[in-house]
């Protein structure tokens, strides 16, 4: 069975600072990993995905994530955040259906 | 391509009433998924369809819940005899999947259900 653990429920950072949102997964089959972002009262928008190939994946809005098989991690990073990045971020693993983590609320302080 | 749409966006109902939600997937997407998201939690899988066939149902989908996708296009999710614990955001997603290859699921804006 697949599962995802997001290690931080909330991450406050200052504008223009770097950020890392942590995600660890557990899977007994091939691993396909996603990061989605959810703005208030909206559905989920895909940030980036890892299906195969290069372990460093670049997504929209300047985000990137690195797949680390030995550490079973898929942490999301951005070198400089903006106020508009304030949202809930979800890591997910998939085998047919998506299995989501609990989410990390990113709060950007000016 | 207008994206996944869901109606209504908000629904307030009294306990014991039936409600029905609709999801229109991205055209030509053969898979359609329903998820439920409660406050402060990640979405949880409910069920999914490939074309008109319902291929998997979660244990979360009690017998009060029923989902259909009669023509392999739009889908409906009905909750009978609603309970306060059904209050949540119901999310629909669709994907174009063939030969077992994993593809991205695109989400709609969700339907927020409040049961009084």
């Amino acid at each position: 069975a697949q599962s995802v653990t997001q290690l931080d429920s909330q991450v406050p950072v200052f504008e223009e600072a770097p950020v890392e949102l942590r995600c660890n997964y557990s899977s007994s089959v091939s691993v396909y990993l996603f990061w989605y972002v959810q703005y208030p009262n909206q559905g989920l928008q895909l940030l980036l995905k890892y299906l195969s190939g290069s372990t460093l994946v670049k997504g929209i809005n300047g985000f990137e994530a690195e797949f680390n098989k030995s550490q079973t991690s898929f942490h999301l990073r951005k070198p400089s955040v903006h106020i508009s990045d304030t949202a809930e971020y979800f890591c997910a693993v998939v085998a047919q259906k998506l299995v989501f983590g609990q989410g990390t609320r990113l709060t950007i302080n000016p | 391509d207008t994206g996944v749409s869901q109606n209504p966006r908000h629904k307030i109902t009294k306990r014991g009433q039936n409600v029905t939600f609709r999801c229109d997937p991205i055209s030509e997407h053969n898979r359609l998924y329903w998820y439920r998201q409660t406050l402060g939690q990640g979405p949880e899988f409910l069920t999914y369809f490939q074309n008109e066939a319902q291929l998997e149902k979660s244990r979360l989908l009690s017998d009060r819940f029923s989902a259909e996708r009669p023509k392999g296009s739009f889908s409906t999710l009905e909750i009978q005899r609603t309970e306060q614990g059904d209050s949540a955001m119901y999310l629909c997603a669709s994907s174009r999947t063939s030969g077992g290859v994993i593809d991205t699921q695109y989400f709609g804006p969700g339907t927020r259900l409040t049961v009084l």
Side-chain angles (χ1 to χ4, degrees), chain A residues 17-101:
Chain A
V19 69
E20 178 179 82
L21 306 184
R22 297 181 293 169
C23 171
N24 285 90
Y25 68 90
S26 171
S27 177
S28 56
V29 296
S30 298
V31 177
Y32 305 103
L33 293 158
F34 296 75
W35 275 98
Y36 283 86
V37 60
Q38 187 176 34
Y39 299 102
N41 298 314
Q42 294 189 27
L44 281 73
Q45 181 181 359
L46 180 70
L47 273 179
L48 49 80
K49 60 186 177 183
Y50 171 79
L51 302 181
S52 64
S54 172
T55 57
L56 183 62
V57 180
K58 293 190 183 298
I60 63 170
N61 300 341
F63 283 93
E64 64 180 34
E66 185 157 18
F67 171 62
N68 188 319
K69 189 174 181 179
S70 63
Q71 297 187 2
T72 61
S73 68
F74 191 55
H75 300 334
L76 182 71
R77 302 186 185 100
K78 185 170 182 178
S80 175
V81 296
H82 190 266
I83 288 282
S84 60
D85 293 323
T86 297
E88 192 91 18
Y89 291 79
F90 293 96
C91 181
V93 64
V94 67
Q96 308 307 331
K97 61 182 180 287
L98 284 164
V99 176
F100 286 90

Side-chain angles (χ1 to χ4, degrees), chain B residues 25-84:
Chain B
I26 294 171
S27 59
E28 299 182 359
H29 275 192
N30 58 347
R31 286 201 175 176
L32 187 150
Y33 304 79
W34 285 100
Y35 294 84
R36 182 174 72 184
Q37 184 181 24
T38 53
L39 206 59
Q41 302 295 316
E44 296 174 292
F45 169 77
L46 292 178
T47 188
Y48 87 94
F49 294 82
Q50 179 153 319
N51 299 314
E52 64 275 11
Q54 189 172 17
L55 296 188
E56 186 175 348
K57 293 194 291 186
S58 162
R59 286 175 294 177
L60 293 174
L61 213 65
S62 75
D63 55 7
R64 296 185 297 106
F65 288 68
S66 62
E68 294 182 346
R69 195 183 183 200
K71 297 182 181 179
S73 57
F74 73 92
S75 175
T76 58
L77 177 68
E78 180 182 16
I79 309 174
Q80 296 182 326
R81 304 181 304 281
T82 52
E83 301 172 358
Q84 288 184 325

Side-chain angles (χ1 to χ4, degrees), chain B residues 15-16 64 81-88 113-116:
Chain B
R15 189 177 54 184
R64 296 185 297 106
R81 304 181 304 281
T82 52
E83 301 172 358
Q84 288 184 325
D86 297 331
S87 295
L113 173 66
T114 302
V115 181
L116 302 176

